[in-house]
Amino acid sequence: MKMRSFDNVYKDKTVLITGHTGFKGSWLSIWLRELGATVIGYALEPASKKDNFVLTGLEEKIIDIRGDIRDKEKLQKVFAKYKPDMVFHLAAQPLVKMSYEQPVYTYEVNVMGTIHVLECIKNTPSVKVGILITTDKCYENKEQVWGYKETDPLGGYDPYSSSKGACEIAISSWRQSFMNPLHFSEHGKAIASVRAGNVIGGGDWAKDRIIPDCIKALEANEAIKIRSPYAVRPWQHVLEPLRGYLLLGQRMLLEPNSYSEAWNFGPLLKSVVTVQEIVDQLIRCYGKGQMLDVSDGKHLHEANMLNLDISKAKFRLDWHPILSLEETVFYTVDWYKNYQRKNVYELCKQQIEDYTEKLASK
């Protein structure tokens, strides 16, 4: 089917993924491998032995390289050796709380790391498309009810969010200065930035994220402690934005002048709910558990209201989310209830296949 194969544009392509050992990077690696791409991964060691990357055995299934995104020389050598056709940049310091604890490191990884990737794309003739992943938190948050559009002001209260806003400015600058779509015939490259919502799914064990915190508590038969029960977030399963990235990459390969810009890939409005609601859903789907509100008003600042306007992706890419909040939670819980007794690569592959079949029926 057309969407499932993305018109076969990824078959036999060499695709470099930074941050492939992370949650989203591991899922993207699996999907691209199943689409027939040769996947080159460049990242730090996985955070734990339970990470999706480890349990799926991806180390043996792709070209797996350990490296720090801050090491421009090593990164450039990888580009020169493998000559990728496309780049998906996901390597990042992705946690708000850690950004308060390590603000300089957060900026080094997120901003300078992104600039290193941009420079490698610019300096490597084989690269035709670069898709750089930032976050919905890159916008200047005004706690507004309506979603943020790609043209809204960038900002960020905490070091993580502001670092991602800075990434977006850098990407825009490199695009205009060195890889301008108006001069494509001179440089032959297309680059875009993409912003997703609160992505959940199997294989995420990151500290201070609500779904991993829930699963850890459930597996230990403990109450789920939540710090900000009334914070509103745009929840989406990991496969939703990844399909957006892959679809965008397909379009950029075919029409490089038309899609080199910023894109939002958020969930349906019905999936923009409070932390308390998502935890309630997860407990019901998991079949056990209880929630404990530990908010005390003293926690570090995080946005209370956050939502993305996805009109642009809908109209120009024909991309739209297909999973309800209930289906999003079901896919997530299904992974965590089965990872200890099933082949995890096959579990992820089956979820991708189920998802694409569901898409075809829409």
Side-chain angles (χ1 to χ4, degrees), residues 194-207:
V194 294
R195 307 152 183 179
N198 268 44
V199 177
I200 65 175
D204 184 9
W205 297 100
K207 186 179 178 183

Side-chain angles (χ1 to χ4, degrees), residues 169-228:
I169 293 171
I171 295 164
S172 177
S173 173
W174 258 252
R175 177 168 51 232
Q176 294 178 82
S177 301
F178 308 114
M179 293 169 272
N180 196 305
L182 297 177
H183 307 298
F184 176 79
S185 61
E186 298 173 17
H187 54 74
K189 300 178 187 300
I191 61 170
S193 62
V194 294
R195 307 152 183 179
N198 268 44
V199 177
I200 65 175
D204 184 9
W205 297 100
K207 186 179 178 183
D208 298 318
R209 278 192 187 149
I210 188 61
I211 299 302
D213 286 351
C214 287
I215 299 301
K216 291 170 189 174
L218 289 168
E219 289 187 346
N221 291 313
E222 297 173 354
I224 298 169
K225 298 177 181 178
I226 54 174
R227 302 180 305 274
S228 304

